[in-house]
Amino acid sequence: MGDKIILEDKFQKRIDAGEKIEPKDWMPEKYRKTHIRQISQHAHSEIVGMLPEGNWITRAPSLRRKVGLLAKVQDEAGHGLYLYSAAETLGISRDQLFDQLHTGKAKYSSIFNYPTLSWADIGAIGWLVDGAAIINQVMLTRTSFGPYARAMVRICKEESFHQRQGYEIMLGLANGTPEQKEMAQDALNRFWWPSLMMFGPRDEDSPNTEQSVKWKIKRKTNDELRQQFIDITVPQAEYIGLTIPDPDLKWNEERGHYDFGEIDWDEFWTVVKGNGPCNKERLQARIDAWDEGSWVRDAAMSYAEKQANQIGKEKLAS
Amino acid sequence: MGKSEISKNEWPLYEIFIRSKNGLEHRHAGSLHAADAEMAIENARDVYTRRQEGVSIWVVPSAEITATQSDEAGELFEPAADKVYRHPTFYDLPIELKHI
């Protein structure tokens, strides 16, 4: 027991000194578990996040929009892979990670449990959802666990195109016909509040925050990140003449930040607990993709084994 | 669920190294699963070089890598810490001296 306290103390000193922790270093079990949970949740979000956007690839309004959306969805797949690999360095297998997703043991970001009803939703997702993700991810490039931080650096480099393509879609619609502008406003109305929820519960309702900040897993709290997102995004909405659907939103000169209205936390918890508009559909799509791809994975493995045996025989014969 | 139960047929892990341009060394980019080395290269191309990040790829089965353990790091690397005489600045030379 004494040894463990000494190790934990040494570990905290390394974190305090700004050192990065690498997979084979000693770490408290809770640090490992928290990371497996957080990194895998992040990976699952990238993978499930492909579904609402994939819905519009075949119906993108122009080739320019289509290649952009295709490239973005392909990036999300790549981001999922970087993150799964980072999680695996902590001693959990890819199949176990998938199993946790498919059995509902692991979560993914609730934002992907909302439907994409119109083309404008693709714009709103790129602008708001990727915008919120970037705020979180930029913070995570400085997180204490090396593989997670490195994956984040790579992801952040690629993510900025996602947000710009989204905003460009909104810009086009907002400057289009009255119907197009209305479509953009409707997408903003539906995605604004769920985007704010992406940062998680209020600090006082987030029991893990203190430990996460101490271990430098998080460098800022949920509320700090949410405020940062609002302050950045409100002027972007004003620029294209769209209205943020919050009557309480007001610049507070004294604080130097926007004040904003109350988030519907009942809705947040309903979606987290699996009862959002698309939870069942998203999970089923993932499970089907995994199950229906099973013969491909097995065939590839059999082929690889056969090839390896063939080479082995040829070597013996020569 | 036990690991062996679900990972019986899991594709092995490969470490990926990318040369970003000629004249530079291959650097570790990350890792991915593939059925064999050829597929690892194809997947690495899609995962790590979507924006012209590479001109050459190496793939190595992760299981083939032998690594130092972090608990032996002190024993291995600390002895170099007090050998300042291995650095040029250890040697005091007159400041007016040129090209040395």
Side-chain angles (χ1 to χ4, degrees):
Chain A
M1 197 61 205
D3 283 356
K4 202 178 150 210
I5 290 168
I6 293 167
L7 281 170
E8 280 181 7
D9 193 47
K10 250 173 94 179
F11 179 82
Q12 188 60 50
K13 287 211 171 83
R14 290 186 62 196
I15 301 258
D16 293 343
E19 273 186 54
K20 296 286 180 200
I21 306 302
E22 293 296 340
K24 297 218 167 132
D25 295 353
W26 186 89
M27 60 184 80
E29 204 40 40
K30 198 176 165 220
Y31 181 88
R32 179 187 303 277
K33 285 208 173 118
T34 303
H35 268 97
I36 290 178
R37 184 171 49 80
Q38 189 177 324
I39 300 173
S40 66
Q41 186 172 325
H42 200 157
H44 299 326
S45 301
E46 299 282 356
I47 298 301
V48 177
M50 292 193 284
L51 298 170
E53 296 188 304
N55 182 33
W56 282 92
I57 290 175
T58 55
R59 293 175 288 163
S62 69
L63 186 59
R64 179 186 159 86
R65 294 293 185 222
K66 187 169 180 163
V67 291
L69 183 57
L70 264 173
K72 178 177 190 289
V73 172
Q74 194 188 7
D75 273 356
E76 313 291 7
H79 297 175
L81 294 179
Y82 305 155
L83 288 160
Y84 282 129
S85 293
E88 285 172 76
T89 64
L90 291 164
I92 186 163
S93 76
R94 181 74 58 95
D95 281 3
Q96 281 175 307
L97 291 167
F98 282 151
D99 186 62
Q100 290 182 350
L101 172 63
H102 298 156
T103 56
K105 197 181 156 215
K107 300 255 181 272
Y108 55 86
S109 179
S110 279
I111 193 78
F112 303 116
N113 289 318
Y114 290 87
T116 43
L117 303 177
S118 80
W119 169 251
D121 290 9
I122 299 304
I125 287 179
W127 172 35
L128 302 172
V129 175
D130 288 85
I134 288 170
I135 299 236
N136 193 36
Q137 289 171 165
V138 165
M139 167 191 78
L140 288 170
T141 59
R142 292 162 55 237
T143 194
S144 62
F145 185 54
Y148 195 24
R150 290 193 286 277
M152 280 302 127
V153 169
R154 200 176 278 280
I155 287 174
C156 283
K157 274 188 200 160
E158 300 179 347
E159 196 85 38
S160 131
F161 128 65
H162 298 183
Q163 199 192 9
R164 289 174 67 101
Q165 71 92 37
Y167 192 76
E168 199 195 75
I169 291 172
M170 294 302 264
L171 182 71
L173 292 171
N175 291 327
T177 64
E179 290 81 5
Q180 285 173 323
K181 186 167 182 184
E182 198 181 315
M183 199 161 98
Q185 181 64 52
D186 174 59
L188 172 59
N189 292 349
R190 283 181 290 107
F191 276 94
W192 174 253
W193 292 104
S195 299
L196 298 190
M197 294 176 198
M198 282 175 70
F199 297 97
R202 277 176 304 216
D203 290 351
E204 63 261 37
D205 301 321
S206 176
N208 297 327
T209 293
E210 196 189 333
Q211 182 66 72
S212 288
V213 169
K214 196 171 159 223
W215 276 337
K216 295 188 184 168
I217 300 174
K218 286 177 119 166
R219 314 288 303 230
K220 289 178 182 173
T221 69
N222 296 354
D223 286 336
E224 284 170 342
L225 293 168
R226 188 166 15 243
Q227 184 71 60
Q228 192 184 336
F229 172 73
I230 292 170
D231 291 346
I232 288 174
T233 311
V234 172
Q236 294 170 353
E238 283 169 358
Y239 184 77
I240 48 176
L242 296 180
T243 310
I244 303 278
D246 178 358
D248 296 323
L249 188 82
K250 212 174 109 213
W251 178 252
N252 183 326
E253 193 66 52
E254 203 178 313
R255 285 204 313 130
H257 293 293
Y258 282 93
D259 290 337
F260 55 97
E262 186 65 21
I263 291 168
D264 182 353
W265 293 109
D266 289 340
E267 177 184 325
F268 173 79
W269 291 113
T270 301
V271 185
V272 168
K273 286 180 181 143
N275 300 311
C278 300
N279 294 57
K280 287 183 186 69
E281 184 188 331
R282 299 287 185 242
L283 201 54
Q284 197 56 50
R286 260 310 304 164
I287 293 169
D288 290 347
W290 178 248
D291 289 347
E292 285 162 21
S294 142
W295 70 272
V296 180
R297 293 191 299 277
D298 291 347
M301 243 356 236
S302 300
Y303 177 77
E305 275 162 22
K306 199 174 141 193
Q307 292 295 107
N309 287 339
Q310 198 69 31
I311 292 166
K313 270 185 206 157
E314 277 164 19
K315 271 195 185 149
L316 277 177
S318 64
Chain B
M1 217 182 268
K3 190 174 174 176
S4 56
E5 227 179 308
I6 46 173
S7 60
K8 192 176 57 190
N9 228 0
E10 189 175 286
W11 288 350
L13 194 65
Y14 285 82
E15 298 301 320
I16 312 301
F17 299 83
I18 310 254
R19 186 203 294 286
S20 58
K21 61 178 187 185
N22 276 4
L24 295 177
E25 68 278 56
H26 286 76
R27 287 188 68 179
H28 186 238
S31 52
L32 52 77
H33 290 272
D36 57 23
E38 199 187 334
M39 188 196 278
I41 285 186
E42 286 164 4
N43 289 355
R45 171 212 176 251
D46 287 343
V47 177
Y48 293 108
T49 66
R50 289 195 300 283
R51 293 177 176 82
Q52 297 182 292
E53 292 95 336
V55 295
S56 164
I57 299 173
W58 289 349
V59 301
V60 182
S62 307
E64 296 294 321
I65 290 182
T66 308
T68 58
Q69 297 300 313
S70 61
D71 56 7
E72 55 185 19
E75 181 186 325
L76 287 173
F77 306 118
E78 272 167 23
D82 59 1
K83 296 182 176 55
V84 283
Y85 48 85
R86 287 181 173 162
H87 296 278
T89 47
F90 177 75
Y91 299 93
D92 294 323
L93 296 183
I95 201 155
E96 55 274 23
L97 208 61
K98 300 285 181 221
H99 306 301
I100 182 161

